Amino acid sequence: MKLIIMRHGEAQAFAASDSERGLTANGERQSEQMAAWLSQHLAGETIDKVLVSPYLRAQQTWQVCAPHLPAREVVTEPDITPYGQSDQVYTYLQAMFDVEAPNVVLVVSHLPLVGYLTNEWLQNGQPPMFSTSAMAVLDIDGQNDTAELIAMMSPRELQG
């Protein structure tokens, strides 16, 4: 099974509240570039489930990515905000993998959750940093509850 953990695209610095910060034009471009990269990486595999933070910038990130990434189901998940608890999200994902057995799941969320969540799976000590629109692609072994990092990609790496 594959788990893709994505940080939202570059967002505006200010809004009425943190949850209302929308993407910048650069954030839209970066997210679209990353969606195209992921589409090639998945080589025709459909995403079984997309979990998206309710925050505007994450919702907009998914909207930009959606035309490139066919998905069977998209769910707005209130527990994957910047303040989400990685251990609880990890447990939720484990249960989902056990019960639903999806082949590919995409999570669109925020720092610091994306780093901590990646580390819950990899157990490497130090959570990886995610630039805006960056993705970690993990291969999940559901029987052993282990994971291997297949790819870590950011917009800057695509350009360079």
Side-chain angles (χ1 to χ4, degrees):
M1 296 177 281
K2 285 190 182 100
L3 172 63
I4 300 111
I5 301 172
M6 179 182 193
R7 182 179 176 200
H8 62 79
E10 179 184 88
Q12 300 166 344
F14 300 103
S17 70
D18 185 38
S19 65
E20 296 176 68
R21 292 192 303 127
L23 291 184
T24 64
N26 186 49
E28 290 178 12
R29 260 190 316 279
Q30 290 176 332
S31 297
E32 187 167 15
Q33 289 171 336
M34 291 303 297
W37 172 83
L38 182 60
S39 178
Q40 289 180 338
H41 188 80
L42 291 175
E45 282 185 271
T46 297
I47 297 172
D48 295 302
K49 186 175 273 191
V50 180
L51 303 175
V52 186
S53 162
Y55 283 31
L56 180 60
R57 58 193 178 272
Q59 292 285 322
Q60 290 175 330
T61 297
W62 171 245
Q63 290 167 5
V64 169
C65 292
H68 301 276
L69 300 170
R72 289 187 173 90
E73 182 180 8
V74 179
V75 177
T76 297
E77 179 54 57
D79 293 329
I80 60 171
T81 67
Y83 311 104
Q85 298 298 310
S86 62
D87 58 338
Q88 292 173 3
V89 177
Y90 172 75
T91 300
Y92 171 75
L93 288 169
Q94 282 181 311
M96 182 179 53
F97 284 131
D98 289 345
V99 173
E100 299 176 26
N103 288 321
V104 182
V105 174
L106 170 63
V107 174
V108 182
S109 188
H110 313 264
L111 276 180
L113 180 65
V114 291
Y116 289 135
L117 181 58
T118 302
N119 198 50
E120 291 281 350
W121 288 101
L122 299 177
Q123 296 295 310
N124 283 345
Q126 189 71 2
M129 284 304 299
F130 279 73
S131 61
T132 53
S133 297
M135 295 180 182
V137 181
L138 307 174
D139 183 25
I140 305 295
D141 178 347
Q143 293 193 336
N144 297 314
D145 286 328
T146 59
E148 177 184 353
L149 182 65
I150 297 171
M152 184 90 186
M153 186 58 65
S154 70
R156 176 175 281 156
E157 291 171 302
L158 285 178
Q159 296 169 357

